Amino acid sequence: EYDEFIVEGPSALGNGDVDLGDNELRRAPDVTLNLNVNYVVPLKNDSDLVFNLGYTYTDDYETNVVFQTGSPTTDLLGDPVALRTENFHQDGFGNVNATITWRNALTRGVDVSLWGRNLTDENIIVYSLSTAEANTVIWSEPRSYGLNFNYSF
């Protein structure tokens, strides 16, 4: 959290000064965890299969500097301010990504990969912005799959 964060009034937040000192830092979870596992299976003709599984855990966090679940409900004059909201709060989440790669498939320098991202299909707030006109939230990509062909020379 901030040591001190005073927004001087009058402002878009209220008539008096607003103390946001107890607000959380934006996109700063208390806990993050990353775990990746690779397993390689050698095949004939100098090729191999590479299995990769990745897991990430991210604790809950706020995505907006001003509008947070713990924002003040009054300015320093005691007048009400409408800052407290859960609209920009991201709950904790776990996410899984996986890839299977056939290295040197068929010939040297050709790799074929089958991949999946966000396999847990989490809705994650990537970015948020609030203005006087509108509130905007950008979400992460949904679960996705793909196939890549790479040629190195």
Side-chain angles (χ1 to χ4, degrees):
E1 71 185 35
Y2 298 95
D3 290 333
E4 183 177 302
F5 187 176
I6 304 290
V7 178
E8 294 182 358
S11 70
L13 303 182
N15 292 326
D17 295 351
V18 178
D19 183 3
L20 300 175
D22 289 331
N23 278 13
E24 298 292 322
L25 295 174
R26 183 177 164 268
R27 293 187 54 85
D30 290 336
V31 176
T32 58
L33 170 74
N34 295 296
L35 178 65
N36 283 294
V37 177
N38 283 313
Y39 183 71
V40 179
V41 177
L43 301 173
K44 294 180 182 180
N45 300 328
D46 199 29
S47 68
D48 50 309
L49 285 176
V50 180
F51 298 87
N52 175 272
L53 183 65
Y55 173 79
T56 61
Y57 171 76
T58 304
D59 205 5
D60 68 318
Y61 57 87
E62 300 290 343
T63 64
N64 191 286
V65 174
V66 175
F67 299 97
Q68 298 187 2
T69 55
S71 291
T73 56
T74 62
D75 63 20
L76 295 179
L77 299 175
D79 294 331
V81 290
L83 306 179
R84 188 168 288 191
T85 182
E86 292 195 21
N87 292 345
F88 303 115
H89 179 81
Q90 174 62 58
D91 289 332
F93 60 91
N95 198 348
V96 176
N97 298 316
T99 306
I100 300 172
T101 302
W102 182 13
R103 291 193 302 200
N104 295 324
L106 305 176
T107 186
R108 189 170 200 84
V110 175
D111 297 343
V112 179
S113 298
L114 174 66
W115 53 266
R117 293 188 191 120
N118 192 12
L119 296 177
T120 52
D121 204 22
E122 293 288 333
N123 291 320
I124 303 163
I125 300 174
V126 175
Y127 181 77
S128 70
L129 175 68
S130 57
T131 65
E133 291 81 31
N135 293 325
T136 302
V137 173
I138 298 174
W139 297 94
S140 63
E141 291 183 27
R143 179 184 301 132
S144 58
Y145 303 95
L147 187 63
N148 288 357
F149 295 91
N150 296 313
Y151 177 67
S152 302
F153 53 94

